[in-house]
Amino acid sequence: MSLGARRDVATTFEGRRRDPGALRGWIAAHVAVVLVFAISRIVYRSAFHVQFDSSPPGQFLQYLPPWLVEHDFWRSVLYLHHQAPMQILVVQGSIKLLGLAHASVLLEGLYVALGVLLSLTLLRVLMWLGAPPALAAIAVCLFEARPTAILYETWLFYPLPTAFLLVCCLSALLRAYRLGTPGAVILFFWVLAGVALVRSTFGTLFMAAAASLLLLRPPIGPSGPSRKVILKAAVVPLFIVFLNTAKTSWLVGHSFGEALLWENLCKKIYLQLPAGERHRLAIKGLLTPVADYRGLTTDATGYGRYRLDHAPTGIPLLDLDVLPGGVTNPHALEHVLVAEHYYRPDALYLLGHYGADYWRSVWSGISGQYVSSAALADWVMFGANYKRLEELNAALDGVTGVQKTGPKAGRSLALVVALSLAWFYGLGRLVGARASSESERSCGVAIAFILLTIAYSAAVTLLISFGDFNRYRYDVDAFYLVLLVLLVADAARFLRRGPRGRWGPRRRPGRMAELDSSRAAV
């Protein structure tokens, strides 16, 4: 791109900034989002008595047991074999340095900040993609004011940081296409690495798939599209994420996530079988009794005669299945050994002989929990905040058509329609006439990234896990919202122009479309 062309692009943006109407709309949208966020949080905390829940670090297997935090924190983080380290480092590192009381205050402030930054980043993404400021602001205000948002914002767990970082990834991706500089592309991959280090679901494979999107349609930089720049930008963040996964094999001697993978697959099919069939398989010795155990959620003595001893490693995280005080250690190496020796053959046997039940379980997850409110996730419903908001959630359930009874209890008709519309709209944008337009380069890649993230997250969880699919979907709820808002914006433009101007140039394109159009003309 020539210097003159780059100045033209800069002039385009400067013109929009100097447009009094556009500037007023931009300011009004941001003010509205901040005000609604502040007012809704005051109402939730004063009228509904919602409080910050700092209990997960002492209860959930995704964290280190408190004894290990106090006595062997850094080495335990190094030897983690089924969890990403960043959430543990931030949350339990703060607890170790400041104590639980002071750390809870700091972390509560952090989660409030993540909540408001998620909303503002989402607003900016929508306006960059061409959504009218008023529509974008209304959508984000509804998104941030819903009870589900406050439930996850006051829950000291990784869904909110994951959702925030994913939206930051989308913002960084659009910024990379807006600027076309190596630094902007590098930022995108570092934020992507941050997601993988908080939530192990989004690992090396997901990063490689995201990089392939940019390689297929790279940003246009000062010297034109450069795939070499993308590869250079991705290599270090990708290597760090790979190193975090590979270190388990080097330090522990077993692959990352073995304990979770095989237990989840086994139970996914086992729980679909009738009780009589389970009993028959156990009597004939076709499955071990371990298939009926709770695995990581219990101590190793629960395996009974199926316990597997191992030579001491000298690492308390790996050697101690029960810690001082009688606390279960879900990170003990014995859980990995049991998964490899018992859950793995059981899972493979069930996959080979009960394939139909496996796919029935997958479909049950898709048509049931996945399309129910994230507020109805089991772990969320056990919390005190859910009980405080139960009446409000019940009222919203009536509006959104939540099924109250039956095997699909909790499924929301509104979510079934909304998620389906969002998905098919996104696919339509990728294969429609607009997809090949150079002026749609950034928007097309952004939508492709959204669909990739949604599909990857859904596939990994629905194909392996056996529950909590609505909690997993919370990570990408903001991406569904982006697609729905763009669908509404396109529908409004279609109706305003009529069939004659179906998908013609927009009267007031978003910032990214303006930049793409300017560069396409170069």
Side-chain angles (χ1 to χ4, degrees):
M1 179 184 289
S2 67
L3 180 61
R6 294 178 69 187
R7 285 174 178 167
D8 288 343
V9 172
T11 303
T12 299
F13 282 101
E14 187 63 27
R16 281 185 65 84
R17 282 194 289 268
R18 290 178 179 175
D19 179 0
L23 182 60
R24 282 196 298 269
W26 187 92
I27 293 174
H30 283 73
V31 170
V33 166
V34 173
L35 282 177
V36 169
F37 182 91
I39 293 171
S40 62
R41 270 47 184 178
I42 292 171
V43 170
Y44 279 126
R45 290 174 182 267
S46 59
F48 294 94
H49 309 292
V50 171
Q51 300 174 4
F52 189 66
D53 181 4
S54 59
S55 64
Q59 300 176 358
F60 290 0
L61 60 86
Q62 287 81 1
Y63 285 106
L64 292 173
W67 187 89
L68 289 172
V69 174
E70 183 178 352
H71 294 93
D72 200 40
F73 178 63
W74 297 108
R75 187 165 56 167
S76 296
V77 171
L78 180 63
Y79 280 84
L80 285 169
H81 56 77
H82 64 68
Q83 293 299 324
M86 193 59 68
Q87 182 77 6
I88 291 173
L89 282 170
V90 172
V91 172
Q92 296 190 295
S94 300
I95 293 172
K96 182 174 178 63
L97 290 173
L98 304 175
L100 181 59
H102 290 91
S104 294
V105 175
L106 174 66
L107 293 168
E108 182 176 4
L110 173 63
Y111 269 56
V112 172
L114 290 179
V116 70
L117 288 173
L118 168 63
S119 299
L120 291 173
T121 308
L122 183 57
L123 176 68
R124 175 160 294 193
V125 164
L126 285 168
M127 290 194 292
W128 270 352
L129 289 172
L135 175 62
I138 291 170
V140 173
C141 287
L142 292 174
F143 185 77
E144 68 181 359
R146 64 200 168 118
T148 301
I150 190 67
L151 285 172
Y152 281 85
E153 186 184 304
T154 54
W155 195 34
L156 190 51
F157 203 28
Y158 56 58
L160 176 60
T162 303
F164 168 68
L165 286 172
L166 284 173
V167 174
C168 286
C169 282
L170 183 56
S171 176
L173 178 66
L174 289 170
R175 183 177 182 272
Y177 277 80
R178 176 166 63 94
L179 300 178
T181 61
V185 180
I186 289 171
L187 177 63
F188 166 72
F189 282 108
W190 275 111
V191 179
L192 203 59
V195 176
L197 293 175
V198 168
R199 187 80 166 87
S200 57
T201 300
F202 300 95
T204 310
L205 179 61
F206 177 70
M207 288 190 68
S212 69
L213 293 179
L214 275 72
L215 291 170
L216 287 172
R217 238 185 160 186
I220 301 176
S223 302
S226 176
R227 291 175 173 83
K228 185 180 294 186
V229 168
I230 295 169
L231 291 173
K232 287 181 178 179
V235 65
V236 175
L238 188 61
F239 177 72
I240 289 175
V241 172
F242 169 77
L243 191 64
N244 176 65
T245 305
K247 72 176 175 61
T248 305
S249 298
W250 302 334
L251 297 176
V252 183
H254 301 269
S255 299
F256 186 81
E258 288 272 4
L260 286 174
L261 171 64
W262 296 116
E263 181 183 350
N264 272 276
L265 273 176
C266 177
K267 291 188 179 297
K268 187 174 187 67
I269 308 171
Y270 184 78
L271 296 175
Q272 282 289 119
L273 303 179
E277 184 64 9
R278 297 182 205 170
H279 181 69
R280 186 188 72 82
L281 292 172
I283 291 296
K284 290 193 171 185
L286 298 173
L287 289 182
T288 65
V290 172
D292 202 32
Y293 293 170
R294 291 186 298 160
L296 292 175
T297 59
T298 187
D299 63 75
T301 58
Y303 297 126
R305 66 188 181 91
Y306 293 92
R307 290 198 63 175
L308 295 170
D309 295 327
H310 62 86
T313 65
I315 310 298
L317 176 86
L318 303 177
D319 291 343
L320 303 178
D321 51 273
V322 178
L323 298 165
V327 177
T328 297
N329 175 23
H331 305 275
L333 182 58
E334 189 166 358
H335 290 299
V336 184
L337 300 178
V338 168
E340 291 176 345
H341 283 78
Y342 299 119
Y343 281 122
R344 183 177 185 274
D346 284 351
L348 293 176
Y349 176 84
L350 290 170
L351 281 169
H353 293 80
Y354 295 89
D357 293 281
Y358 169 76
W359 290 111
R360 191 177 300 114
S361 176
V362 172
W363 175 246
S364 176
I366 295 172
S367 60
Q369 272 194 342
Y370 192 81
V371 287
S372 66
S373 169
L376 298 179
D378 291 339
W379 291 6
V380 178
M381 293 178 69
F382 292 150
N385 283 335
Y386 178 82
K387 294 178 175 60
R388 296 180 179 115
L389 296 173
E390 195 164 10
E391 291 185 7
L392 179 58
N393 275 313
L396 290 175
D397 289 347
V399 175
T400 57
V402 172
Q403 190 170 327
K404 298 295 185 181
T405 58
K408 303 298 183 185
R411 178 172 61 181
S412 166
L413 178 60
L415 277 175
V416 171
V417 174
L419 300 188
S420 300
L421 284 174
W423 179 255
F424 287 112
Y425 168 76
L427 290 177
R429 283 289 298 266
L430 290 186
V431 301
R434 300 162 71 183
S436 58
S437 170
E438 191 63 28
S439 64
E440 285 285 309
R441 175 183 289 264
S442 58
C443 294
V445 174
I447 290 174
F449 177 73
I450 288 173
L451 293 178
L452 168 68
T453 307
I454 290 173
Y456 180 88
S457 172
V460 170
T461 55
L462 288 163
L463 295 178
I464 296 175
S465 298
F466 60 92
D468 254 8
F469 303 118
N470 43 1
R471 174 170 66 86
Y472 300 138
R473 197 204 64 239
Y474 173 85
D475 296 344
V476 295
D477 272 351
F479 282 6
Y480 278 114
L481 180 70
V482 171
L483 294 176
L484 286 172
V485 172
L486 295 182
L487 169 61
V488 172
D490 272 347
R493 293 187 190 103
F494 177 85
L495 294 174
R496 187 168 57 242
R497 288 195 300 264
R500 186 167 52 88
R502 187 179 174 190
W503 294 122
R506 298 173 182 172
R507 188 170 61 186
R508 294 188 63 183
R511 290 189 176 187
M512 300 309 301
E514 283 184 354
L515 180 61
D516 288 340
S517 298
S518 300
R519 288 179 169 173
V522 176

